[in-house]
Amino acid sequence: MSITLEDAVALITLEADMLDHGDFHDWLKLYTPDGRYVVPIDPNAEDFEKVLNYAYDDAEMREKRVVRLLSGRSISAAPPARTVRLLSRYRMMDSSETSCTLRCAQMLQELRQGRVHDYAANLNYRLEMTNDGLKIALKVVRLLISTEALTAVSYIL
Amino acid sequence: MLNLPDPKRLLGEDRADGSIYSDPDLYDMEMDRIFMHNWIWVAHKSDLPEPGDFITTFVGSHPVIVSRDRKGAVHVMLNRCRHRAATVCELKHGKTASFVCPYHGWAYGLDGALRGVPHQDGYTGQLDKSKLPLVALRVEEYNGLIFATFDKEIMSLDAWLGRAKPWIDLFMKQGAGWPVKTMGEHKFTFPGNWKIQLENTTDAYHFPIVHKSFLDSVDQETQNTFDFVGGAGFVEDLGHGHSVMVMIPELVDLDEGLDAPIPERFTELATELAKDYPDEQVRKIVRAVGGSGFNLNLFPNLACSMAFFRVLRPLSVMETEIRHIAIGMDGGPDIANEVRLRLHEHFQGPMGFGTPDDAEAWDRVQRGSLAGKDISILLNRGIGHEAQREDGNLFSDVSAETGMRAAYKQWLVAMTEEVGE
Ligand code: FES
Ligand SMILES: [Fe+2]
């Protein structure tokens, strides 16, 4: 049986909840060992390794990012920004027994230092079925304003 | 004009009044006297390599087009139609034979000449196209760096860069024998005055404090390399507001020290490169990938900062846009350029492990500076042991505020000079 939309949505909703609530160590476990978390700049980029991105994280970089956010040693993350995000507009692009591609929208609001920022994004997920259940093999966060000037983002989109 | 702030009263040898970050009248003066009467960096030559290539950017608050004409000459022109002022181009970059204004269709060449006017007979002979090109700025180039200015009188770019030129040449050795090219950028704003950022590029003092979490994320060898405060580096005033801060003296000249052991974080890259390149060239490429050991601060808007270009643009008195432009080897090995991209992503930009902490510090400077009145910002670090080189350059230890003093000296010159008519 192909991976269902329901199972896929359950996983990425869990991810969103963990990120908003600072459960970063658990978040790391949602990815496959060679999974990637990518925030590209170029809206058309596909070959992320060859271009400059905002973030292009393999397992090692994801772990470092988490350590940094929780260390209390980064002034932009101490205290961390608070975020609330909503995912919606899910569409399964393709699905098999072993993997699926899912697209959806994310609206995120951030509060830090008394200032609110909004970030809308299209999310593209590649999910893979493993012995440990469904995992994230690729998450691409295509920010609506990726080609404009951002402000510092010391959290995980 | 009455009531203009008096810059002389705001700046001392070793301090500045906190209002320099927040006085809107002072800001208006800066946008005129500094950003319209100095050489402002607009592009790297690799941004427009071929005839017909163009980018749009800003000189101070003025939108401009930077284009390369058929003969290869670079033009910087106001992005403003001579008819009724519409911007003629809103693309960030591209390739074209002409710029056609979308409003009434006036068409300009790559050199800005007005070529076509629809229904020109409606002007019954009262429109001289030759008198209505896009307004051109002066353009000059040094070692791939393209600068423009509104001012027809100021000294040549060559003279303006002066003693900074040898440092630009050293910085460009990051091409490892290939030309340097830009490879994309991180762009972000922070809610603070542009001079806070100008200071930061020549501030080694903050590094071990602000960048603790970055240092935690790299190996011990790299941590040692970045442990430069109190080390043998220095800051040197190069004249005209330019300064260099040498943090890692061994990495000043990338053509030297090729026998030095390859840092562990680059061994994988070196092994890969060794399949295609002789040992000496592998070492040269790897050294270049690591970047230069210094920040060259060019007044007022560009820094050649270790391994990237830092470009600032004031948006308002308390808002500044920063671009961190990645650079690489034009024609060099992809795997080496990709390592450079990953290093850039690691530290720079709004989601890097370094920049957000810098931005937080600048933000705090802005907000803190609004507390109280008539309180100085101190610029006196390292002044007690500042000395002079044979060529007259002032220098002090790596964490000295010599570079900031250099920039503010030039700031005062620009702000108090008699300008124009
Ligand atoms: S404003 Fe450009 S053609 Fe009229
Ligand atoms: Fe910094």
Side-chain angles (χ1 to χ4, degrees):
Chain A
M1 202 180 80
S2 302
I3 298 165
T4 63
L5 181 68
E6 200 185 346
D7 286 348
V9 169
L11 175 63
I12 66 173
T13 308
L14 177 65
E15 186 198 25
D17 181 81
M18 285 175 172
L19 291 176
D20 279 345
H21 291 93
D23 299 339
F24 298 123
H25 288 299
D26 288 334
W27 172 72
L28 291 171
K29 296 180 204 143
L30 300 183
Y31 282 70
T32 61
D34 55 358
R36 290 280 191 283
Y37 160 71
V38 190
V39 187
I41 299 169
D42 179 352
N44 302 314
E46 290 297 343
D47 203 352
F48 306 115
E49 198 166 356
K50 299 232 172 320
V51 295
L52 187 70
N53 306 286
Y54 288 118
Y56 180 73
D57 288 5
D58 57 11
E60 193 187 340
M61 279 300 279
R62 280 196 302 279
E63 198 165 329
K64 286 180 175 185
R65 202 174 281 281
V66 166
V67 168
R68 178 178 131 80
L69 290 180
L70 296 175
S71 67
R73 285 160 68 79
S74 153
I75 47 168
S76 63
R82 292 169 58 205
T83 58
V84 174
R85 70 193 73 199
L86 280 178
L87 308 190
S88 189
R89 205 205 59 204
Y90 306 104
R91 179 171 171 197
M92 191 67 97
M93 305 305 287
D94 64 65
S95 178
S96 72
E97 258 169 57
T98 51
S99 69
C100 70
T101 308
L102 180 74
R103 187 163 81 186
C104 69
Q106 172 171 286
M107 300 295 289
L108 179 150
Q109 194 164 72
E110 162 211 329
L111 173 67
R112 179 159 161 74
Q113 302 286 30
R115 291 188 284 253
V116 166
H117 287 112
D118 291 297
Y119 288 108
N122 283 302
L123 304 186
N124 290 272
Y125 281 96
R126 182 96 194 136
L127 307 180
E128 276 173 17
M129 190 54 79
T130 72
N131 294 335
D132 288 333
L134 200 56
K135 299 278 174 193
I136 301 168
L138 176 67
K139 175 184 182 182
V140 182
V141 182
R142 294 194 188 271
L143 287 169
L144 188 60
I145 59 162
S146 69
T147 56
E148 311 305 313
L150 307 188
T151 50
V153 176
S154 262
Y155 50 90
I156 296 165
L157 287 171
Chain B
M1 257 191 285
L2 294 172
N3 296 328
L4 275 185
D6 180 2
K8 278 199 276 317
R9 294 185 46 203
L10 299 172
L11 190 69
E13 295 272 288
D14 61 352
R15 64 192 58 218
D17 186 74
S19 69
I20 60 163
Y21 298 144
S22 52
D23 181 337
D25 295 327
L26 194 71
Y27 176 81
D28 289 344
M29 278 174 76
E30 289 174 339
M31 292 317 287
D32 175 19
R33 297 188 180 189
I34 294 175
F35 286 88
M36 292 186 78
H37 295 281
N38 280 290
W39 287 104
I40 304 300
W41 185 84
V42 291
H44 183 261
K45 71 172 178 193
S46 64
D47 294 330
L48 45 156
E50 312 212 316
D53 290 346
F54 69 88
I55 62 160
T56 55
T57 183
F58 291 84
V59 171
S61 54
H62 305 270
V64 297
I65 301 170
V66 185
S67 67
R68 192 178 290 281
D69 71 21
R70 274 202 191 87
K71 291 183 187 128
V74 176
H75 302 269
V76 178
M77 310 161 296
L78 291 185
N79 192 355
R80 173 191 174 129
C81 181
R82 296 303 301 276
H83 178 219
R84 290 226 299 281
T87 56
V88 297
C89 180
E90 286 292 337
L91 295 171
K92 284 181 180 156
H93 57 90
K95 199 176 189 72
T96 189
S98 63
F99 300 101
V100 180
C101 179
Y103 199 176
H104 310 94
W106 287 26
Y108 302 87
L110 287 163
D111 60 356
L114 176 58
R115 290 232 221 87
V117 170
H119 305 291
Q120 198 180 336
D121 45 359
Y123 285 99
T124 51
Q126 283 165 319
L127 186 88
D128 181 353
K129 289 207 297 264
S130 71
K131 297 236 158 53
L132 292 168
L134 295 177
V135 173
L137 278 70
R138 256 175 95 188
V139 192
E140 286 177 25
E141 183 171 334
Y142 180 78
N143 202 342
L145 301 175
I146 303 169
F147 295 75
T149 181
F150 283 91
D151 196 312
K152 307 283 181 226
E153 311 295 326
I154 56 168
M155 67 182 82
S156 68
L157 177 68
D158 206 69
W160 166 252
L161 293 173
R163 302 195 299 267
K165 284 190 298 177
W167 291 97
I168 295 174
D169 299 344
L170 285 167
F171 188 80
M172 297 305 170
K173 288 191 178 189
Q174 286 178 74
W178 289 281
V180 163
K181 67 166 175 184
T182 59
M183 297 198 296
E185 67 182 32
H186 288 144
K187 187 162 73 171
F188 60 99
T189 61
F190 76 96
N193 186 265
W194 65 279
K195 297 188 293 302
I196 297 170
Q197 153 60 203
L198 181 71
E199 294 165 11
N200 177 259
T201 305
T202 173
D203 184 316
Y205 192 24
H206 81 284
F207 200 95
I209 311 293
V210 165
H211 299 305
K212 273 193 231 114
S213 78
F214 167 74
L215 291 168
D216 290 345
S217 75
V218 297
D219 64 20
Q220 186 62 45
E221 191 182 18
T222 313
Q223 285 184 24
N224 296 344
T225 306
F226 281 104
D227 183 18
F228 43 71
V229 175
F234 57 89
V235 187
E236 189 165 320
D237 177 344
L238 301 173
H240 295 150
H242 315 317
S243 64
V244 67
M245 173 171 76
V246 173
M247 291 158 282
I248 310 165
E250 312 82 79
L251 296 180
V252 163
D253 189 335
L254 296 175
D255 287 344
E256 283 174 8
L258 291 175
D259 316 331
I262 288 175
E264 184 162 340
R265 62 177 171 151
F266 296 131
T267 46
E268 204 182 311
L269 173 65
T271 313
E272 279 301 305
L273 290 170
K275 295 175 187 163
D276 298 314
Y277 298 92
D279 183 60
E280 166 128 354
Q281 202 177 2
V282 169
R283 290 173 171 277
K284 191 166 162 165
I285 296 167
V286 167
R287 229 169 121 73
V289 164
S292 301
F294 59 88
N295 283 4
L296 174 65
N297 212 15
L298 298 175
F299 187 85
N301 77 324
L302 177 70
C304 297
S305 182
M306 298 196 87
F308 66 100
F309 296 137
R310 187 277 288 142
V311 188
L312 65 81
R313 177 163 74 98
L315 299 178
S316 69
V317 62
M318 287 191 249
E319 189 168 29
T320 304
E321 177 192 275
I322 313 290
R323 295 154 64 200
H324 288 164
I325 302 176
I327 56 176
M329 296 157 266
D330 196 356
D334 288 346
I335 45 168
N337 281 332
E338 283 163 26
V339 170
R340 287 193 69 105
L341 291 171
R342 299 293 89 79
L343 290 172
H344 194 88
E345 287 159 357
H346 189 158
F347 191 97
Q348 314 301 337
M351 293 174 211
F353 287 24
T355 299
D357 294 327
D358 279 320
E360 172 74 14
W362 310 332
D363 185 353
R364 299 241 193 145
V365 169
Q366 182 69 56
R367 277 184 285 146
S369 75
L370 298 172
K373 243 183 120 100
D374 305 322
I375 307 174
S376 292
I377 281 138
L378 298 184
L379 300 166
N380 60 343
R381 189 173 166 83
I383 209 169
H385 47 271
E386 204 162 67
Q388 218 161 19
R389 303 249 191 244
E390 266 168 36
D391 56 9
N393 289 356
L394 287 171
F395 74 101
S396 191
D397 76 285
V398 65
S399 74
E401 285 154 358
T402 304
M404 298 173 215
R405 292 191 286 277
Y408 280 113
K409 242 185 287 169
Q410 188 62 36
W411 177 86
L412 191 60
V413 169
M415 293 289 276
T416 53
E417 236 168 24
E418 292 303 314
V419 194
E421 292 88 297

